[in-house]
Amino acid sequence: TQLLEQSPQFLSIQEGENLTVYCNSSSVFSSLQWYRQEPGEGPVLLVTVVTGGEVKKLKRLTFQFGDARKDSSLHITAAQPGDTGLYLCADTGANNLFFGTGTRLTVIP
Amino acid sequence: NAGVTQTPKFQVLKTGQSMTLQCAQDMNHNSMYWYRQDPGMGLRLIYYSASEGTTDKGEVPNGYNVSRLNKREFSLRLESAAPSQTSVYFCASGLDYEQYFGPGTRLTVT
């Protein structure tokens, strides 16, 4: 059974700080997705990474896929209160998504 | 476009009661999914439907049934609710691994 571990579980930072959250798998990802979920809403897809070593940028968010395709990181530059939410990684798998447990980020104004 | 809609938004049931959670999408997606989200557990797949007329079990199907009524609608039924089914339920629809989620139903079973 695949294990997807996300760290840290909780993170609270001041507005303007930088941060990195991590997603590690016990097996090779098929491809990896990052989602953000705001309170009271469903997750929203941020990015899909497919190739080992791939780096994608989405405004202040930088996503990196490990060379061996077993880990990924999400770096946020100059965090803003609007970045607050639960960040989930997911393996696309054979037919469906398999989610990690998430990192709950709070950005304090 | 409304995207994915779910009803109801909140529900409280007593142990043993039954109910159906409704989901509809207007994006013409073939695939639809039901997940549950519990604290510290992430989202876990209950059932999915790859196309109209087909359904398959996910990671945690016990205690649930589903119906893919047509391409737009995918319902989740709890026949005899148990406290362990207290959770937030999300419906999603998708195309090529891009999944779009509804706002969720918060279910409490007492």
Side-chain angles (χ1 to χ4, degrees):
Chain A
T1 305
Q2 182 182 26
L3 291 175
L4 273 190
E5 293 188 358
Q6 291 190 243
S7 61
Q9 191 176 358
F10 299 95
L11 184 59
S12 182
I13 62 170
Q14 294 291 132
E15 181 177 359
E17 292 183 348
N18 301 334
L19 67 110
T20 303
V21 298
Y22 301 91
C23 175
N24 291 281
S25 174
S26 57
S27 54
V28 174
F29 286 105
S30 300
S31 63
L32 183 138
Q33 296 182 330
W34 283 95
Y35 288 78
R36 178 168 63 214
Q37 183 178 16
E38 298 186 14
E41 298 183 9
V44 174
L45 178 64
L46 297 174
V47 76
T48 302
V49 287
V50 178
T51 306
E54 185 175 1
V55 177
K56 283 192 174 180
K57 293 193 174 186
L58 183 65
K59 297 183 181 177
R60 293 175 295 99
L61 279 59
T62 301
F63 304 87
Q64 188 153 5
F65 202 15
D67 290 341
R69 294 171 56 228
K70 294 183 70 175
D71 60 275
S72 180
S73 63
L74 159 58
H75 181 80
I76 301 179
T77 303
Q80 299 177 359
D83 296 326
T84 292
L86 179 66
Y87 288 81
L88 296 159
C89 65
D91 186 1
T92 56
N95 292 306
N96 305 295
L97 297 179
F98 183 80
F99 283 88
T101 53
T103 292
R104 190 167 298 280
L105 172 65
T106 302
V107 182
I108 302 165
Chain B
N1 279 354
V4 179
T5 57
Q6 293 183 236
T7 56
K9 197 163 179 63
F10 299 95
Q11 184 71 49
V12 179
L13 293 178
K14 293 188 189 307
T15 298
Q17 288 185 318
S18 62
M19 78 160 296
T20 299
L21 281 65
Q22 306 286 354
C23 174
Q25 54 98 5
D26 63 2
M27 294 174 282
N28 202 37
H29 290 154
N30 285 326
S31 300
M32 296 187 74
Y33 309 83
W34 277 105
Y35 294 88
R36 60 178 289 173
Q37 186 175 34
D38 303 295
M41 301 286 289
L43 282 91
R44 292 182 292 169
L45 182 66
I46 304 171
Y47 271 93
Y48 67 98
S49 171
S51 62
E52 188 179 350
T54 69
T55 61
D56 285 286
K57 295 178 181 179
E59 184 184 356
V60 288
N62 291 347
Y64 305 96
N65 285 300
V66 290
S67 295
R68 183 73 182 267
L69 304 170
N70 48 55
K71 192 170 186 179
R72 290 189 63 247
E73 299 173 288
F74 189 36
S75 63
L76 178 72
R77 183 160 178 83
L78 287 70
E79 290 291 351
S80 179
S84 61
Q85 294 178 304
T86 292
S87 188
V88 182
Y89 291 85
F90 288 98
C91 176
S93 70
L95 182 67
D96 294 336
Y97 295 115
E98 288 199 15
Q99 292 192 18
Y100 298 84
F101 287 80
T105 294
R106 186 172 294 274
L107 175 67
T108 302
V109 183
T110 61

